[in-house]
Amino acid sequence: MEIVFVVAIAENGVIGAGNAMPWRLKSDMARFKALTIGKPVIMGRKTFESLPRRPLPRRTNIVITRDAAYRANGAIVTTSAADADAIARGDALRRSVAEIAVIGGAEIFRQWLDRADRLEITEVHARPEGDTHFDIDKAEWDEVERIRHPAGPDDSADFSYVTYRRRRGH
């Protein structure tokens, strides 16, 4: 079972500002959907609440929060990464998929980074202000694919799709 991070990161490491993405990349939504559809997706409460459409359709939405009383319509809520992992693995087996997608936010990425096998990054070619960051330790990851795209009509910046795989021995 592969743990795959799906995240957009600006050139300066910013992934968010005020619980939102500080750019508009409509072109990236199709890729996000393709990478996550039919799979369990793990996210934090703030990420879940920031989704324009929730729960994400045709995916098992698993929300991790410190608030044991929190409820989210259409999502499975848990207070621990270990429980989220068990729920996601069981769901992936039932769905016959080999991946679990982790989609944020920063605290969830920190908790799951040691478990991640692959990073599916949308590298946003901009340097926005932001309050949430994600940095890739290049000593632990090998870049295996990079495809650059110009900004489309509904995009605020050029971007690249970059795939990283964890280096063996890490």
Side-chain angles (χ1 to χ4, degrees):
M1 191 77 50
E2 270 199 330
I3 304 292
V4 181
F5 279 25
V6 182
V7 57
I9 307 173
E11 291 173 345
N12 58 354
V14 167
I15 62 170
N19 203 33
M21 287 187 259
W23 52 75
R24 178 172 162 78
L25 283 184
K26 193 168 182 187
S27 298
D28 188 42
M29 291 299 101
R31 180 173 188 258
F32 176 84
K33 185 176 181 180
L35 288 168
T36 61
I37 202 81
K39 298 174 184 157
V41 290
I42 294 172
M43 68 197 92
R45 177 192 53 80
K46 288 189 241 176
T47 297
F48 180 77
E49 291 177 353
S50 76
L51 296 173
R53 187 168 170 205
R54 58 184 180 262
L56 292 169
R58 298 184 16 227
R59 286 155 271 206
T60 301
N61 290 236
I62 302 165
V63 179
I64 303 173
T65 178
R66 289 181 195 94
D67 180 357
Y70 183 77
R71 297 293 173 262
N73 276 347
I76 299 167
V77 178
T78 181
T79 57
S80 83
D83 286 349
D85 186 58
I87 293 162
R89 286 178 187 280
D91 183 67
L93 289 170
R94 278 189 299 282
R95 290 175 174 269
S96 297
V97 295
E99 296 174 0
I100 296 166
V102 176
I103 64 169
E107 181 61 29
I108 300 302
F109 287 137
R110 270 191 290 283
Q111 289 176 14
W112 285 76
L113 189 57
D114 289 344
R115 304 174 203 210
D117 301 295
R118 191 172 88 234
L119 309 176
E120 291 292 348
I121 306 298
T122 299
E123 197 173 87
V124 182
H125 298 300
R127 302 180 77 75
E129 294 292 317
D131 53 20
T132 313
H133 296 81
F134 184 98
D135 296 306
I136 298 168
D137 181 350
K138 301 289 173 81
E140 291 189 31
W141 299 93
D142 286 321
E143 182 178 315
V144 295
E145 185 175 28
R146 173 179 292 269
I147 304 167
R148 188 170 175 110
H149 296 274
D154 294 319
D155 301 330
S156 61
D158 292 352
F159 56 96
S160 296
Y161 294 143
V162 187
T163 301
Y164 292 91
R165 285 211 166 271
R166 184 175 295 281
R167 287 202 169 148
R168 299 209 191 293
H170 278 275

